[in-house]
Amino acid sequence: MTMAVDVRALSKRYGQKRVMDGLDLEVRPGVTGLLGPNGAGKTTLLRCLATVLAPDSGEMRIIGLNPADGAQRTELRRQIGYLPQDPGLYAHFTSAQMLDYIAILKEMTNRRQRAEEVRRVLTEVDLTAQSNVKIRKLSGGMRQRLGIAAALVGDPGFIILDEPTVGLDPEQRMRFRTLLSRLGETKIVLLSTHQTEDVAALCERVIVYRAGQVIFDGDPTGLAWQAGGKVWSTAERPVGDEVYWRTTEGRYRVVGARPHDGEAVEPTVEDGYLRLLAEAEEEVA
Ligand SMILES: Nc1ncnc2c1ncn2[C@@H]1O[C@H](COP(=O)(O)OP(=O)(O)OP(=O)(O)O)[C@@H](O)[C@H]1O
């Protein structure tokens, strides 16, 4: 089994709108983060990789299998765990029933084996106590964790998570980071997120995606340094169109040109990301 995702010249349009245009991408085991503004096309890419959506053209090899081929696609789906943005959980099922159902869809026919698998994934996301609680009674964060558990059923080699940390409290987010880091030791984990702190904390690789194009591919430190020498702390509210915000210390953090009293600040992943997007906007303008 080739533990890699290999995508060549992938294109997708919705009507006249071109969302992906000849995308080339390789993803290896480890945790890879996909960052990008709303509407960049992240979900479209993830849905293609999850074999939920067929691209218009291009080639994919995922764990050595070709999803364009029916038999290989079926085999591949056993190897993929996918958390969509809206996981479509059944409100009247309990957590355990939902996961058991997913295990059945993944063709786990042995009832005892399934029960064990359900227990395992519930433990992974700290939902054992909610095992027999109906989904409609779970909090938003608990539902999100159940969605993550669903993606882990059957121990897939390729895990695709679309904004997995939405709604998680800080403790559960930490727990989730630990879980993902562990999974990334042997599996291909691809997560789309708007949380640059998650990317900084757990991704060894980050891809920034904008308007269907990869505009950065490297490690989080490299992304942070996209704003190297361009992050400032200043006492006065900046004028002009630089990106800035007020910090808890009551100063302004500016990403862009140096304000007249600006003191240089070490860039974060968020700074680098914002700078990169601002530069991409400038190029288009
Ligand atoms: N089924 C569809 N039909 C028509 N247009 C679509 C469809 N799905 C997505 N789009 C459009 O394609 C573009 C990319 O959407 P996509 O959901 O892939 O972006 P995204 O990067 O995941 O965004 P977000 O961060 O907001 O989730 C958007 O302009 C969106 O409106």
Side-chain angles (χ1 to χ4, degrees):
M1 194 192 292
T2 328
M3 279 302 281
V5 172
D6 211 334
V7 164
R8 292 279 159 250
L10 214 62
S11 295
K12 179 76 194 170
R13 53 165 77 210
Y14 297 114
Q16 290 302 305
K17 192 176 169 75
R18 200 186 288 271
V19 177
M20 224 169 9
D21 191 11
L23 178 78
D24 293 335
L25 188 68
E26 269 181 51
V27 194
R28 306 270 158 200
V31 184
T32 299
L34 188 61
L35 276 176
N38 291 137
K42 304 178 296 294
T43 296
T44 303
L45 170 60
L46 296 189
R47 295 187 75 213
C48 288
L49 295 176
T51 77
V52 175
L53 184 70
D56 296 334
S57 57
E59 280 179 27
M60 294 194 278
R61 280 283 178 288
I62 304 176
I63 317 184
L65 296 163
N66 177 8
D69 174 283
Q72 292 187 48
R73 185 166 62 241
T74 305
E75 172 57 27
L76 179 57
R77 284 181 176 163
R78 294 190 192 111
Q79 294 293 328
I80 292 180
Y82 175 41
L83 170 74
Q85 253 173 35
D86 178 5
L89 303 169
Y90 299 146
H92 59 285
F93 276 25
T94 66
S95 304
Q97 283 168 340
M98 186 75 226
L99 295 171
D100 187 56
Y101 176 64
I102 288 163
I104 291 170
L105 294 181
K106 290 228 165 179
E107 297 171 24
M108 294 178 71
T109 47
N110 182 307
R111 189 185 285 264
R112 184 175 299 172
Q113 215 182 359
R114 270 202 326 267
E116 243 166 60
E117 182 62 356
V118 167
R119 264 196 300 278
R120 182 186 76 84
V121 295
L122 280 171
T123 309
E124 291 280 33
V125 299
D126 196 21
L127 274 184
T128 308
Q130 281 73 31
S131 162
N132 295 317
V133 176
K134 290 239 161 78
I135 291 172
R136 66 180 144 80
K137 292 192 177 164
L138 297 179
S139 73
M142 286 176 183
R143 279 181 213 180
Q144 188 66 3
R145 276 148 60 197
L146 186 60
I148 295 167
L152 301 180
V153 169
D155 201 22
F158 180 28
I159 299 167
I160 304 168
L161 305 166
D162 203 346
E163 299 192 27
T165 51
V166 169
L168 297 194
D169 65 33
E171 191 194 344
Q172 289 300 335
R173 218 153 116 196
M174 283 303 150
R175 205 184 152 101
F176 175 70
R177 283 181 188 173
T178 310
L179 169 63
L180 274 206
S181 309
R182 205 180 67 233
L183 292 170
E185 284 168 15
T186 51
K187 299 166 194 302
I188 305 165
V189 181
L190 182 60
L191 80 142
S192 160
T193 179
H194 291 290
Q195 310 291 334
T196 46
E197 316 92 81
D198 285 344
V199 167
L202 66 88
C203 298
E204 54 237 60
R205 177 177 171 201
V206 53
I207 293 164
V208 180
Y209 202 61
R210 183 186 171 279
Q213 302 285 335
V214 173
I215 59 168
F216 176 87
D217 186 350
D219 63 17
T221 312
L223 179 54
W225 279 100
Q226 296 296 307
K230 293 182 185 116
V231 189
W232 314 96
S233 171
T234 168
E236 276 171 45
R237 183 198 295 272
V239 284
D241 53 6
E242 304 301 343
V243 177
Y244 72 86
W245 60 96
R246 199 156 186 262
T247 66
T248 45
E249 297 93 51
R251 290 177 66 84
Y252 292 91
R253 189 179 175 93
V254 185
V255 183
R258 180 175 182 267
H260 76 275
D261 66 340
E263 291 165 22
V265 176
E266 180 109 344
T268 62
V269 169
E270 182 169 47
D271 296 327
Y273 172 60
L274 291 173
R275 186 64 211 157
L276 197 68
L277 290 184
E279 274 168 14
E281 294 292 333
E282 280 160 22
E283 266 171 38
V284 172

